[in-house]
């Protein structure tokens, strides 16, 4: 599921047609972010710290980083109309 989240973020960042679609469909933007957050919550539910604490700590770090990536994506999607209006590159490298 983590790969799905990261893959979806990558696709949005690298596909101008998808960005345009998300720009013109606020409902889809919301659905995308909700789906990403849902996957992260499902990963959180499946954590088993009692089984392997070291592995669980690593999973926690990955979840934290992925959560930050989703938040950054959400912030960027909210700025899309401004970026398009300025005709500028919106994604940081």
């Amino acid at each position: 599921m983590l790969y799905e989240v990261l893959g979806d973020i990558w696709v949005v960042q690298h596909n101008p047609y998808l960005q345009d679609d998300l720009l013109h469909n606020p409902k889809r933007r919301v659905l995308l972010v909700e789906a990403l957050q849902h996957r992260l919550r499902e990963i959180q539910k499946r954590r088993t710290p009692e089984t392997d604490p070291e592995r669980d700590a690593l999973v926690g770090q990955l979840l934290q980083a992925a959560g930050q990536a989703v938040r950054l994506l959400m912030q960027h999607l909210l700025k899309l109309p401004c970026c398009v209006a300025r005709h500028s590159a919106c994604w940081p490298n």
Side-chain angles (χ1 to χ4, degrees):
M1 270 194 256
L2 182 59
Y3 287 128
E4 291 173 6
V5 171
L6 298 176
D8 286 351
I9 291 171
W10 187 91
V11 167
V12 170
Q13 288 178 335
H14 292 87
N15 186 330
Y17 299 106
L18 185 53
Q19 290 176 29
D20 188 55
D21 182 59
L22 293 170
L23 170 64
H24 296 295
N25 294 289
K27 190 174 182 179
R28 285 192 188 151
R29 283 192 305 240
V30 170
L31 290 173
L32 171 65
V33 172
E34 286 176 352
L36 296 173
Q37 291 171 338
H38 171 74
R39 289 180 190 142
L40 293 177
R41 284 191 303 273
E42 288 300 311
I43 294 169
Q44 177 67 30
K45 284 183 194 176
R46 296 174 185 180
R47 289 177 67 182
T48 55
E50 63 282 347
T51 304
D52 188 347
E54 285 182 43
R55 186 180 123 232
D56 184 68
L58 294 173
V59 170
Q61 291 175 6
L62 288 170
L63 276 174
Q64 190 174 31
Q68 178 65 20
V70 170
R71 285 187 292 280
L72 290 173
L73 176 68
M74 184 171 48
Q75 289 172 2
H76 176 75
L77 292 176
L78 293 174
K79 293 179 188 175
L80 266 179
C82 298
C83 292
V84 170
R86 289 192 319 249
H87 301 290
S88 64
C90 300
W91 292 104
N93 291 332

